[in-house]
Amino acid sequence: MDRSNSFNHSSENPSLNQRNSDVGYSTNDRRLAYSRSFQQSHGPRTPAAAAAMVFSSGEAAKPFLDRTVSSIDMPPEIYFGDGNEELFGEGKEKRGEVSVLRLVLEIFRVLRSGSRQMKRLSLLISLNVAYSTVELAIGLFTGRVGLVSDAFHLTFGCGLLTFSLFAMATSRKKPDHAYSYGYKRLEVLSAFTNALFLLFMSFSLAVEALHAFIQDESEHKHYLIVSAVTNLLVNLIGVWFFRNYARVNLVYRKAEDMNYHSVCLHVLADSIRSAGLILASWFLSIGVENAEVLCLGLVSVTVFMLVMPLFKATGGVLLQMAPPNIPSSALNKCLRQITSREEVTEVLQARFWELVPGYTVGSLTLQVKSGTDDRPLLQFVYDLYHDLGVQDLTVQTDFS
């Protein structure tokens, strides 16, 4: 590729030159970016397998890598200089102005053709909404503040389960210009939200137990026994639906695993809470002192221990921590192998993270000696990290 000829487009378009300079690039910028996405179905690459793929069938060998000038080779339709700019040449509707009705219809269409877990979650949400509505009506009619408070708690929980269902449906959408990596991470966000809510519930139960210990107001909670039994039966249906994700230290291989696990922990924590209230009422009926303090305290600790692993895992993905499936020692070993090559002077900005569970992304910058043919080096780097488990790697080479 003739690098000098790759700048002709920018020199013929002054308005584009101005835009490139606004974002930190100029026509004298010689940095080149290289990117490759690996398909998991092909398995790890080796240099021998790569050579066999290139020289097979007796045809001319195609280049291993696509080389592009990162700041110059931009299609002219991306920007228009008339002041009425549009992204990627699309209209307003492509920029996200989609009607609410169309979005709702799309969600219902996905639900009809969705998986068994999505349909089960829809049924569980319907049962919880019906139960919380009846409980709220009885609480308002009889003046029971505890029933009204429990109904609002269930309603908020139904909202979180609805968000989980929305994440399941939306994550099936294909990547677009706005979300080039797709929508899979929405399921990670949903799982994190569920975990955060359950941690708040654990804290509120601990405060309620402490308040009952200080004020000694346990005896006025007896009427909640019927509500707790009914709520327990409804949530046990949800536990049965998602029983395959009831393990505490579940290995997350996909983003769906996190979301399903969070739903299972949600209904399981509600079931434990209802069981704790039932047990506390029974202990109080036989004269056990501070029974509510003991039961609610145990429920609070149990829910906290169940939810913390999910909270850490989802928080780590959202904060783009180093992938847990790749040891840091292996990453350091790869960096040492790259640095030891004669043509490499320095390795900069080596970053690796999980986009979603099971999909690792990486990027790094290499300082290479001037006049070096960097294609063998890039092939070596890609094969090295692909064998390590990095599916999407971007490498930038700077010639010194």
Side-chain angles (χ1 to χ4, degrees), residues 29-50:
D29 197 332
R30 296 286 179 168
R31 289 181 294 176
L32 302 178
Y34 305 86
S35 177
R36 169 173 288 178
S37 296
F38 300 108
Q39 301 296 329
Q40 291 178 325
S41 59
H42 297 313
R45 284 183 178 270
T46 60

Side-chain angles (χ1 to χ4, degrees), residues 188 252-258 313 317 354-360:
V188 181
Y252 305 113
R253 295 182 175 88
K254 299 181 295 184
E256 293 88 345
D257 294 339
M258 281 188 169
V317 173
E354 270 192 328
L355 179 68
V356 292
Y359 192 89
T360 304

Side-chain angles (χ1 to χ4, degrees), residues 15 101 116 248 373:
S15 61
L101 178 60
R116 177 183 298 181
V248 178
D373 184 10

